[in-house]
Amino acid sequence: MSGNQSKVDDKLRRLVREEVAAAIRPLRKQIAELKKELAGPEAGKPEKQGKAVSGQKSTAVFEAEDIARLRKKWKLKRDVFGEFFGVSGEEIRNWERGRSKPAPRHLELLAHIRGMSRKERVALLESIAAEKPAENL
């Protein structure tokens, strides 16, 4: 019995560490950006200009693998994940492979859902699932 309990405790600790790390990651990025801004115009300006050219805001930076990781964390297929943004599953695939980049409005949504807690994600997915049959009527 204690062997099974030990395995459960270990798995629970691992899951908690992963959730905490996922919650802290965007905050660390924001802190780094704020530090660059406080360092002065010379320190922060070149990088901000590069991000502005690519269409991304300095606080909402997403690499291709970040998008794929977020979708997989939510355990969603590309088509379903694309519904959040009004794009196709093919477009999500292009984002994940770095072939194209999300528009600024999509970056804002990505930043919002990345910051959601697990409970918020579950509630959102349940509400979407509840609306699906009503749409088909």
Side-chain angles (χ1 to χ4, degrees):
M1 256 312 192
S2 68
N4 288 338
Q5 184 63 37
S6 176
K7 289 179 185 178
V8 169
D9 290 343
D10 290 342
K11 188 169 184 170
L12 183 60
R13 280 189 207 99
R14 183 182 55 80
L15 291 172
V16 167
R17 276 194 306 268
E18 289 173 2
E19 285 291 320
V20 168
I24 291 174
R25 193 174 301 119
L27 296 174
R28 286 186 176 161
K29 288 181 181 181
Q30 285 180 333
I31 289 169
E33 290 298 322
L34 291 171
K35 284 181 180 179
K36 288 177 188 175
E37 286 179 27
L38 290 174
E42 298 83 27
K45 206 168 193 176
E47 188 165 332
K48 279 188 171 184
Q49 287 176 345
K51 287 179 184 173
V53 169
S54 69
Q56 295 180 351
K57 292 185 175 183
S58 61
T59 57
V61 178
F62 285 90
E63 301 294 329
E65 57 271 2
D66 295 333
I67 296 169
R69 192 176 307 117
L70 182 62
R71 179 183 63 82
K72 289 174 184 173
K73 180 180 177 179
W74 280 50
K75 298 177 183 168
L76 295 174
K77 294 183 179 182
R78 287 185 180 111
D79 292 337
V80 176
F81 194 67
E83 289 179 19
F84 286 112
F85 308 99
V87 299
S88 67
E90 183 71 23
E91 184 63 21
I92 297 295
R93 187 172 74 129
N94 289 336
W95 292 355
E96 291 178 350
R97 294 185 178 183
R99 292 182 182 158
S100 66
K101 294 189 177 191
R105 68 180 186 275
H106 297 138
L107 289 172
E108 291 176 22
L109 286 171
L110 281 165
H112 178 72
I113 65 171
R114 178 172 62 181
M116 288 180 141
S117 69
R118 186 171 190 219
K119 287 181 183 179
E120 291 172 324
R121 288 194 316 258
V122 169
L124 177 62
L125 292 173
E126 287 175 351
S127 70
I128 290 171
E131 291 175 6
K132 286 275 184 190
E135 290 176 4
N136 294 333
L137 293 177

